[in-house]
Amino acid sequence: MTVTPEAKQNAPQNVGHTPAPASSADLAVARRVLEIEATALHELAESLDGAFCAAIDLIEGLKGRLVITGMGKSGHIAKKIAATFASTGTPSFFVHPAEASHGDLGMIGKDDGVLALSNSGETPELSDIIAFTRRFNVPLIGMTRKPHSSLAMQSDCPLVLPASPEACPNKQAPTTSTTAMLACADALAVTLMERRGFSAEDFRTFHPGGKLGQRLLHVRDVMHPADSLPLIAKDALMSEALVTMTSHSFGCVGVLGDRGELIGIVTDGDLRRHMANNIVAMKVMDVMTAGPKVTSEMALAVEALAIMNDRSITALFVLDEAGVPAGLVHIHDLLRAGVA
């Protein structure tokens, strides 16, 4: 196809590669917004008191789930909060307040608790949920900036956020207020995680997919089992060790002591160092590297990778509590699992 001079002239040049010129006015606005919201978060941190601790106690004591609700922008924040709680060990879901008035109140059980978000504390759509919690003794946490609002007054545990100004020019659009709601809920979720001792393994249970799940894999999830390992006795000849190494294709062979414990390893590097000798007639113990780096089944795969990178090696034997080989993890296994 022939490209005409006119087409060349009209074609966009360096699309996606030339950054727009910086506008000092725009940057000033953006920085002002961030500074206003940062100040609000600092005020929020300073304002936390016994009400926050009471909310933690209330949520931790629930036998059921934490129901999050809010209308408009608060509703969007509530959905994210529900996802955060659900992924960090607190069963939670979002209920739309308008839908709640048309049957979804049935989703709230007697063992559940409700966290309701409203900047003003007077959101009309929340009235039916608030009345439901009062009628059936469902614990209610209200998050609002108005301490004397209906939501705050009706809540078992009102969380009153500082009345920091919104970041928009007319002080109306929810900006600082929604940031504070999200941050306060994050503080609740993380505090609960630490109180419960929520571990990396627990976190991976709720995040099995994606890069996060891959980085939280344990060695046991990617290692080769004990019955597939290249192992040989310390008194065996290197001629046997070479056959074992070749048949398993791990580039190494583990050397066992009298009790079946791992005492050394023979690698390609060991072979090269002894190549000038009659290596096939030598005993394994005379060629091996003693005290090799090892790992355990419960170690994170990223920790095993760090050992490999630090020592420039490609495989680690996995030992049980008695020092007996229980598996082997190879750099290729980590690559396939997306850890490396």
Side-chain angles (χ1 to χ4, degrees):
M1 181 178 68
T2 302
V3 180
T4 65
E6 292 78 12
K8 288 183 179 181
Q9 181 176 357
N10 294 328
Q13 301 297 313
N14 298 322
V15 175
H17 297 287
T18 303
S23 165
S24 57
D26 292 341
L27 292 177
V29 171
R31 288 173 180 142
R32 185 187 72 235
V33 170
L34 296 177
E35 288 169 0
I36 290 172
E37 297 200 4
T39 299
L41 292 182
H42 179 74
E43 293 173 353
L44 172 61
E46 293 296 319
S47 73
L48 296 181
D49 54 18
F52 181 89
C53 297
I56 292 292
D57 292 337
L58 190 156
I59 297 171
E60 185 183 33
L62 292 176
K63 296 180 180 178
R65 300 155 299 178
L66 181 62
V67 180
I68 320 289
T69 188
M71 193 69 190
K73 303 298 186 296
S74 296
H76 294 303
I77 297 299
K79 290 178 182 178
K80 193 275 177 185
I81 292 172
T84 297
F85 274 111
S87 67
T88 54
T90 300
S92 180
F93 65 94
F94 171 77
V95 169
H96 195 289
E99 297 296 337
S101 299
H102 295 274
D104 281 2
L105 283 173
M107 300 173 69
I108 305 174
K110 61 182 180 64
D111 294 326
D112 296 338
V114 173
L115 171 58
L117 278 60
S118 171
N119 184 35
S120 68
E122 302 293 349
T123 305
E125 291 86 353
L126 288 176
S127 59
D128 287 337
I129 286 185
I130 294 173
F132 181 87
T133 63
R134 303 304 81 191
R135 178 182 177 186
F136 294 103
N137 295 317
V138 175
L140 173 64
I141 301 171
M143 189 181 294
T144 177
R145 294 205 294 179
K146 304 294 183 180
H148 303 296
S149 63
S150 299
L151 176 59
M153 299 298 289
Q154 292 295 327
S155 295
D156 299 294
C157 183
L159 292 177
V160 180
L161 307 177
S164 306
E166 301 289 5
C168 72
N170 57 19
K171 308 302 180 185
Q172 295 297 315
T175 47
T176 305
S177 57
T178 49
T179 297
M181 285 180 177
L182 189 60
C184 186
D186 285 343
L188 288 170
V190 173
T191 303
L192 280 165
M193 285 178 65
E194 295 200 12
R195 180 184 282 194
R196 291 167 170 163
F198 195 81
S199 66
E201 173 62 20
D202 296 323
F203 203 82
R204 180 174 174 264
T205 299
F206 298 114
H207 299 78
K211 193 64 178 178
L212 179 59
Q214 293 162 350
R215 292 189 65 82
L216 292 176
L217 284 172
H218 285 92
V219 167
R220 68 182 180 189
D221 298 320
V222 295
M223 73 180 191
H224 297 270
D227 58 6
S228 65
L229 304 184
L231 300 171
I232 197 163
K234 63 178 181 178
D235 294 324
L237 294 176
M238 279 300 301
S239 57
E240 299 175 48
L242 289 170
V243 173
T244 302
M245 288 181 66
T246 303
S247 63
H248 286 80
S249 301
F250 288 123
C252 65
V253 59
V255 183
L256 302 180
D258 296 332
R259 299 186 306 277
E261 76 281 13
L262 186 77
I263 63 171
I265 187 173
V266 177
T267 66
D268 294 334
D270 296 314
L271 298 183
R272 288 191 295 271
R273 281 190 291 273
H274 292 84
M275 194 59 68
N277 305 321
N278 185 16
I279 191 171
V280 294
M282 297 176 67
K283 286 190 174 182
V284 171
M285 70 174 69
D286 297 325
V287 176
M288 73 179 190
T289 297
K293 284 289 183 180
V294 296
T295 187
S296 66
E297 293 185 57
M298 292 305 298
L300 290 176
V302 290
E303 295 174 336
L305 176 63
I307 295 174
M308 293 183 192
N309 287 336
D310 183 57
R311 299 301 295 267
S312 298
I313 56 179
T314 59
L316 287 174
F317 277 95
V318 183
L319 305 186
D320 63 17
E321 294 180 357
V324 175
L328 181 145
V329 59
H330 195 276
I331 187 69
H332 292 164
D333 304 319
L334 302 179
L335 288 168
R336 280 191 293 269
V339 177

